[in-house]
Amino acid sequence: MIQPSIMEATNKETTPIELLKQIIENEVAWGNSQEWTHQDFEQLSERIWQKTQTKLSATTLKRLWGKVNYQSQPTTNTLNALAQFAGYEHWRDFVGSQSYVTPTSDSEQPKQKVASATINKKAAILLLIPILVLVVLGFNRWVNRPLEIDASQITFSSEPVAKGVPNTVIFHYDVSELPYDQIEIQQSWDSRLRQEVDKDKQVFTTTYYYPGYFRAKLLVEKQIVKEHDVYVTSDGWLALVANEPIPHYLDEPIRQNGTLTVAPERLEQLGFLNEESVPGLSYYNVQDFGELSSGNFTLETAIRSDYNQGEAVCQESQVSVLCAKGRIAIPWSIPGCVGKIYLAASEQYLDGQTSDLSAFGCDLSEWQHIRLQVVQQQLSVYRNDSLVFQTILQQDAGKVAGLRYRFRGTGSVDYVRLLDENQNVVFQDDFIN
């Protein structure tokens, strides 16, 4: 990890947040952040998600980097995610590991001389660090030893209270027989979505704002002791604009003339589409597709981007299959922007900056017919009946749990067909009212 040196910061004020931003800028190596575009912040958002499993929108990041006027301080969740992306455990870990320098005046020069005189003492102290590290490691091994817990003494279950999102999920738990007091419930894979609960109680509720297949966990003294799946469905097709901390759900009809679509004018009316930023529009359909395996299925669909102004010039689009243990996310953009996109397929992640994703560049102002086919864990991606990509999924992503389409600005979907390994139709929608 390359960090800005304290010497470089001597002539300017360096706050913890500013130093963390400098570390991230050095990590991504995209040049002067003053010249970053919205697509760069979108890419940073995706990279943070891939590394930390925490969602920070491009708008949130632009506010933090001063691209959008916003007076409030970033939330702890935002700071934790940025610190984790930079290689630290959390925000406090980052703050505790850094030194910050503020501007000095001539009157402060004697203080600087006194500080320099202590360098030899600090060097001597540094010699003791290896010994201290060994002591700490030994202590940590003792402290972090696995707890001996009888799982039969614990109960942990949950149930959603409604269909669609937002959706409150009621967790039922019973740890009254355990001799431990620190009990936590984590609502998904994201460790930031963890809440300490009362050992003497048996009910805890939390709200899910995005549909999906989540893995809830019960922790005792930081150790996962039980976990189970939480399935939050979309109750049919759902259109939303990602917005922090709660997305904006579009409740108007989205089925129009045999397509799934939202007009750019509608987003302009809602105040999301303007000269400063172009939002990400998503269509979700998360439901029970039975035992349809991510290792053997076919998705046939057609997409079109309906907006290419300003920050949406690249017309970035994405077709995703959401699974119980992962996802398959296939990107598309105009040919000149393939360096800005990424592909995720189970355990694989390909970044357009370090991988050749030119096969996913096309004219998205025209309908593009897409087919994703997985046969015995081999993924094949076709565009207009031409094979453009193949790979082997080394890890099982679990059963198919939902579909998601993403567009920069706005976009449309013409049809959807989901088939099993025997090419039997599991789900079909031609968007005809």
Side-chain angles (χ1 to χ4, degrees):
M1 182 188 306
I2 302 175
Q3 299 187 11
S5 69
I6 297 302
M7 291 299 293
E8 292 172 345
T10 301
N11 295 322
K12 62 180 180 179
E13 183 177 0
T14 306
T15 65
I17 293 177
E18 289 301 318
L19 185 55
L20 179 57
K21 287 160 54 179
Q22 292 175 34
I23 293 172
I24 292 173
E25 289 168 18
N26 287 338
E27 169 115 356
V28 299
W30 294 341
N32 188 347
S33 62
Q34 295 300 315
E35 300 176 359
W36 286 4
T37 65
H38 184 80
Q39 284 79 11
D40 292 319
F41 286 101
E42 281 287 334
Q43 181 74 356
L44 179 58
S45 172
E46 293 294 343
R47 290 183 62 169
I48 291 173
W49 164 254
Q50 287 295 320
K51 189 169 182 179
T52 71
Q53 293 296 292
T54 298
K55 293 181 179 179
L56 297 183
S57 70
T59 301
T60 294
L61 295 172
K62 289 170 72 174
R63 288 169 179 166
L64 195 62
W65 260 265
K67 291 283 188 175
V68 177
N69 186 24
Y70 193 69
Q71 300 302 320
S72 298
Q73 292 297 312
T75 65
T76 301
N77 183 65
T78 296
L79 295 174
N80 283 336
L82 293 173
Q84 285 183 317
F85 180 73
Y88 297 87
E89 184 176 355
H90 43 62
W91 171 246
R92 287 186 178 180
D93 176 40
F94 168 74
V95 172
S97 67
Q98 301 298 321
S99 298
Y100 308 102
V101 179
T102 55
T104 59
S105 63
D106 292 340
S107 62
E108 292 175 312
Q109 292 303 316
K111 295 181 181 179
Q112 294 179 356
K113 293 179 180 178
V114 171
S116 64
T118 65
I119 291 177
N120 290 334
K121 292 182 180 179
K122 291 181 179 179
I125 293 174
L126 289 175
L127 295 176
L128 296 175
I129 288 180
I131 298 174
L132 293 174
V133 168
L134 292 175
V135 173
V136 170
L137 287 175
F139 178 75
N140 283 340
R141 286 174 183 160
W142 181 81
V143 170
N144 296 322
R145 68 193 188 283
L147 301 177
E148 295 182 2
I149 295 177
D150 182 0
S152 64
Q153 296 180 312
I154 305 170
T155 61
F156 183 47
S157 62
S158 65
E159 56 183 343
V161 302
K163 293 182 178 179
V165 287
N167 201 336
T168 294
V169 173
I170 301 176
F171 289 97
H172 300 274
Y173 65 98
D174 186 351
V175 293
S176 57
E177 297 298 320
L178 299 182
Y180 306 104
D181 295 323
Q182 187 179 22
I183 312 299
E184 298 170 295
I185 289 179
Q186 183 174 315
Q187 70 183 68
S188 72
W189 55 81
D190 185 355
S191 62
R192 302 276 68 81
L193 299 177
R194 184 182 295 180
Q195 179 69 45
E196 188 165 353
V197 298
D198 192 332
K199 176 185 176 180
D200 298 323
K201 296 183 179 180
Q202 297 183 343
V203 173
F204 173 74
T205 66
T206 188
T207 302
Y208 290 74
Y209 292 103
Y210 289 87
Y213 206 103
F214 307 96
R215 189 73 175 170
K217 308 175 189 299
L218 179 68
L219 298 95
V220 176
E221 301 292 338
K222 303 297 184 181
Q223 179 176 314
I224 298 173
V225 294
K226 278 204 171 183
E227 52 187 320
H228 65 261
D229 294 331
V230 176
Y231 206 179
V232 180
T233 64
S234 60
D235 194 22
W237 285 103
L238 168 71
L240 61 82
V241 175
N243 192 39
E244 297 292 342
I246 300 173
H248 181 89
Y249 307 107
L250 300 172
D251 56 4
E252 61 265 14
I254 56 177
R255 293 172 177 265
Q256 299 180 27
N257 302 318
T259 64
L260 199 66
T261 189
V262 174
E265 294 77 17
R266 180 54 181 155
L267 295 187
E268 291 176 351
Q269 293 172 359
L270 293 170
F272 289 110
L273 197 58
N274 52 57
E275 294 181 356
E276 289 188 353
S277 65
V278 177
L281 172 70
S282 296
Y283 301 116
Y284 282 86
N285 194 319
V286 177
Q287 61 170 285
D288 186 359
F289 294 111
E291 295 304 314
L292 183 62
S293 170
S294 63
N296 289 283
F297 78 93
T298 299
L299 171 65
E300 298 175 345
T301 190
I303 63 170
R304 182 188 67 198
S305 170
D306 297 330
Y307 193 78
N308 62 358
Q309 302 300 307
E311 295 177 338
V313 65
C314 290
Q315 296 183 278
E316 296 147 290
S317 308
Q318 188 184 80
V319 178
S320 296
V321 179
L322 308 179
C323 307
K325 300 179 183 178
R327 61 174 175 156
I328 299 172
I330 306 302
W332 305 95
S333 75
I334 63 173
C337 294
V338 293
K340 295 288 187 180
I341 60 179
Y342 74 93
L343 180 147
S346 187
E347 79 289 348
Q348 299 179 46
Y349 177 79
L350 301 179
D351 191 321
Q353 283 198 318
T354 56
S355 303
D356 182 0
L357 300 182
S358 57
F360 299 96
C362 56
D363 181 5
L364 284 156
S365 295
E366 302 291 335
W367 285 108
Q368 300 295 329
H369 297 267
I370 310 299
R371 184 165 87 251
L372 311 183
Q373 188 168 33
V374 183
V375 179
Q376 298 298 320
Q377 299 290 114
Q378 177 172 289
L379 168 65
S380 301
V381 180
Y382 297 83
R383 181 175 64 83
N384 298 333
D385 292 327
S386 296
L387 179 65
V388 298
F389 179 79
Q390 273 189 323
T391 189
I392 300 295
L393 307 180
Q394 299 296 333
Q395 295 182 11
D396 178 18
K399 70 177 186 177
V400 174
L403 303 173
R404 181 185 67 202
Y405 294 80
R406 281 182 174 174
F407 298 95
R408 170 59 52 206
T410 60
S412 300
V413 182
D414 189 18
Y415 59 86
V416 177
R417 299 187 190 96
L418 199 55
L419 305 97
D420 64 15
E421 59 183 316
N422 297 317
Q423 296 301 293
N424 297 316
V425 176
V426 175
F427 173 78
Q428 179 171 343
D429 200 334
D430 294 312
F431 308 116
I432 298 175
N433 294 332

